[in-house]
PDB file of all heavy atoms in Angstrom:
ATOM      1  N   ARG A  16      10.963  -3.010   9.972  1.00 96.00           N
ATOM      2  CA  ARG A  16       9.869  -3.420  10.845  1.00 96.00           C
ATOM      3  C   ARG A  16       9.084  -4.496  10.102  1.00 96.00           C
ATOM      4  O   ARG A  16       8.553  -4.239   9.030  1.00 96.00           O
ATOM      5  CB  ARG A  16       8.979  -2.223  11.158  1.00 96.00           C
ATOM      6  CG  ARG A  16       7.935  -2.539  12.213  1.00 96.00           C
ATOM      7  CD  ARG A  16       7.205  -1.297  12.656  1.00 96.00           C
ATOM      8  NE  ARG A  16       8.127  -0.308  13.234  1.00 96.00           N
ATOM      9  CZ  ARG A  16       7.733   0.887  13.657  1.00 96.00           C
ATOM     10  NH1 ARG A  16       6.472   1.236  13.577  1.00 96.00           N
ATOM     11  NH2 ARG A  16       8.595   1.735  14.149  1.00 96.00           N
ATOM     12  N   ILE A  33       7.575   7.651   4.234  1.00 97.00           N
ATOM     13  CA  ILE A  33       7.622   8.800   3.319  1.00 97.00           C
ATOM     14  C   ILE A  33       8.992   8.903   2.642  1.00 97.00           C
ATOM     15  O   ILE A  33       9.087   9.127   1.434  1.00 97.00           O
ATOM     16  CB  ILE A  33       7.241  10.109   4.058  1.00 97.00           C
ATOM     17  CG1 ILE A  33       5.750  10.051   4.462  1.00 97.00           C
ATOM     18  CG2 ILE A  33       7.517  11.329   3.193  1.00 97.00           C
ATOM     19  CD1 ILE A  33       5.260  11.240   5.267  1.00 97.00           C
ATOM     20  N   ARG A 285      -7.471  18.584   5.507  1.00 94.00           N
ATOM     21  CA  ARG A 285      -6.474  17.608   5.914  1.00 94.00           C
ATOM     22  C   ARG A 285      -7.068  16.558   6.839  1.00 94.00           C
ATOM     23  O   ARG A 285      -7.517  16.856   7.941  1.00 94.00           O
ATOM     24  CB  ARG A 285      -5.314  18.312   6.603  1.00 94.00           C
ATOM     25  CG  ARG A 285      -4.096  17.410   6.732  1.00 94.00           C
ATOM     26  CD  ARG A 285      -2.871  18.243   7.050  1.00 94.00           C
ATOM     27  NE  ARG A 285      -1.694  17.399   7.094  1.00 94.00           N
ATOM     28  CZ  ARG A 285      -0.516  17.753   6.593  1.00 94.00           C
ATOM     29  NH1 ARG A 285      -0.370  18.905   5.993  1.00 94.00           N
ATOM     30  NH2 ARG A 285       0.518  16.947   6.687  1.00 94.00           N
ATOM     31  N   ARG A 289      -9.268   6.118   4.791  1.00 97.00           N
ATOM     32  CA  ARG A 289      -8.762   4.745   4.893  1.00 97.00           C
ATOM     33  C   ARG A 289      -9.764   3.769   4.287  1.00 97.00           C
ATOM     34  O   ARG A 289     -10.968   4.052   4.246  1.00 97.00           O
ATOM     35  CB  ARG A 289      -8.575   4.344   6.357  1.00 97.00           C
ATOM     36  CG  ARG A 289      -7.824   5.347   7.202  1.00 97.00           C
ATOM     37  CD  ARG A 289      -6.446   4.870   7.531  1.00 97.00           C
ATOM     38  NE  ARG A 289      -5.762   5.810   8.402  1.00 97.00           N
ATOM     39  CZ  ARG A 289      -4.448   6.013   8.381  1.00 97.00           C
ATOM     40  NH1 ARG A 289      -3.687   5.336   7.555  1.00 97.00           N
ATOM     41  NH2 ARG A 289      -3.892   6.878   9.208  1.00 97.00           N
ATOM     42  N   HIS A 337     -13.326   9.427  11.321  1.00 92.00           N
ATOM     43  CA  HIS A 337     -13.369   9.720  12.766  1.00 92.00           C
ATOM     44  C   HIS A 337     -14.695  10.380  13.144  1.00 92.00           C
ATOM     45  O   HIS A 337     -14.717  11.434  13.772  1.00 92.00           O
ATOM     46  CB  HIS A 337     -12.224  10.644  13.200  1.00 92.00           C
ATOM     47  CG  HIS A 337     -10.861  10.136  12.839  1.00 92.00           C
ATOM     48  ND1 HIS A 337     -10.551   8.807  12.696  1.00 92.00           N
ATOM     49  CD2 HIS A 337      -9.699  10.798  12.569  1.00 92.00           C
ATOM     50  CE1 HIS A 337      -9.280   8.684  12.372  1.00 92.00           C
ATOM     51  NE2 HIS A 337      -8.735   9.868  12.285  1.00 92.00           N
ATOM     52  N   LYS A 339     -16.686  12.144  11.552  1.00 94.00           N
ATOM     53  CA  LYS A 339     -17.031  13.403  10.877  1.00 94.00           C
ATOM     54  C   LYS A 339     -17.151  13.141   9.389  1.00 94.00           C
ATOM     55  O   LYS A 339     -16.520  12.239   8.865  1.00 94.00           O
ATOM     56  CB  LYS A 339     -15.905  14.434  11.071  1.00 94.00           C
ATOM     57  CG  LYS A 339     -15.922  15.126  12.398  1.00 94.00           C
ATOM     58  CD  LYS A 339     -14.774  16.130  12.449  1.00 94.00           C
ATOM     59  CE  LYS A 339     -14.222  16.201  13.861  1.00 94.00           C
ATOM     60  NZ  LYS A 339     -12.891  16.790  13.917  1.00 94.00           N
TER      61      LYS A 339
ATOM     62  N   GLN B  28       6.827   4.545  17.128  1.00 93.00           N
ATOM     63  CA  GLN B  28       5.978   3.401  16.790  1.00 93.00           C
ATOM     64  C   GLN B  28       4.980   3.747  15.672  1.00 93.00           C
ATOM     65  O   GLN B  28       4.710   2.930  14.804  1.00 93.00           O
ATOM     66  CB  GLN B  28       5.187   2.930  18.027  1.00 93.00           C
ATOM     67  CG  GLN B  28       6.057   2.323  19.115  1.00 93.00           C
ATOM     68  CD  GLN B  28       6.741   1.040  18.652  1.00 93.00           C
ATOM     69  OE1 GLN B  28       6.121   0.180  18.037  1.00 93.00           O
ATOM     70  NE2 GLN B  28       8.033   0.923  18.924  1.00 93.00           N
ATOM     71  N   ASP B  31       5.546   8.057  10.266  1.00 96.00           N
ATOM     72  CA  ASP B  31       5.268   9.399   9.738  1.00 96.00           C
ATOM     73  C   ASP B  31       3.856   9.868  10.077  1.00 96.00           C
ATOM     74  O   ASP B  31       2.874   9.290   9.620  1.00 96.00           O
ATOM     75  CB  ASP B  31       5.417   9.407   8.220  1.00 96.00           C
ATOM     76  CG  ASP B  31       6.833   9.097   7.777  1.00 96.00           C
ATOM     77  OD1 ASP B  31       7.754   9.777   8.261  1.00 96.00           O
ATOM     78  OD2 ASP B  31       7.009   8.181   6.946  1.00 96.00           O
ATOM     79  N   VAL B  33       0.817  12.412   9.695  1.00 97.00           N
ATOM     80  CA  VAL B  33       0.386  13.290   8.610  1.00 97.00           C
ATOM     81  C   VAL B  33      -0.880  14.092   8.920  1.00 97.00           C
ATOM     82  O   VAL B  33      -1.229  14.995   8.171  1.00 97.00           O
ATOM     83  CB  VAL B  33       0.178  12.506   7.291  1.00 97.00           C
ATOM     84  CG1 VAL B  33       1.523  12.069   6.725  1.00 97.00           C
ATOM     85  CG2 VAL B  33      -0.717  11.288   7.483  1.00 97.00           C
ATOM     86  N   ASP B  36      -6.364  15.392  14.573  1.00 94.00           N
ATOM     87  CA  ASP B  36      -7.699  15.941  14.784  1.00 94.00           C
ATOM     88  C   ASP B  36      -7.774  16.333  16.255  1.00 94.00           C
ATOM     89  O   ASP B  36      -8.025  15.497  17.120  1.00 94.00           O
ATOM     90  CB  ASP B  36      -8.726  14.857  14.422  1.00 94.00           C
ATOM     91  CG  ASP B  36     -10.113  15.424  14.294  1.00 94.00           C
ATOM     92  OD1 ASP B  36     -10.281  16.637  14.514  1.00 94.00           O
ATOM     93  OD2 ASP B  36     -11.033  14.646  13.976  1.00 94.00           O
ATOM     94  N   ASP B  54      -3.273  10.572  12.919  1.00 97.00           N
ATOM     95  CA  ASP B  54      -3.134   9.710  11.751  1.00 97.00           C
ATOM     96  C   ASP B  54      -1.684   9.682  11.305  1.00 97.00           C
ATOM     97  O   ASP B  54      -1.116  10.705  10.953  1.00 97.00           O
ATOM     98  CB  ASP B  54      -3.993  10.216  10.588  1.00 97.00           C
ATOM     99  CG  ASP B  54      -5.434   9.736  10.700  1.00 97.00           C
ATOM    100  OD1 ASP B  54      -5.678   8.547  10.421  1.00 97.00           O
ATOM    101  OD2 ASP B  54      -6.288  10.550  11.079  1.00 97.00           O
ATOM    102  N   SER B  55      -1.121   8.499  11.331  1.00 97.00           N
ATOM    103  CA  SER B  55       0.184   8.328  10.710  1.00 97.00           C
ATOM    104  C   SER B  55      -0.073   7.744   9.331  1.00 97.00           C
ATOM    105  O   SER B  55      -1.212   7.466   8.973  1.00 97.00           O
ATOM    106  CB  SER B  55       1.052   7.384  11.546  1.00 97.00           C
ATOM    107  OG  SER B  55       0.621   6.054  11.366  1.00 97.00           O
TER     108      SER B  55
END
Side-chain angles (χ1 to χ4, degrees):
Chain A
R16 188 171 300 178
I33 293 177
R285 195 164 183 140
R289 311 253 183 212
H337 305 332
K339 280 181 215 162
Chain B
Q28 292 296 315
D31 297 307
V33 289
D36 194 358
D54 276 285
S55 75

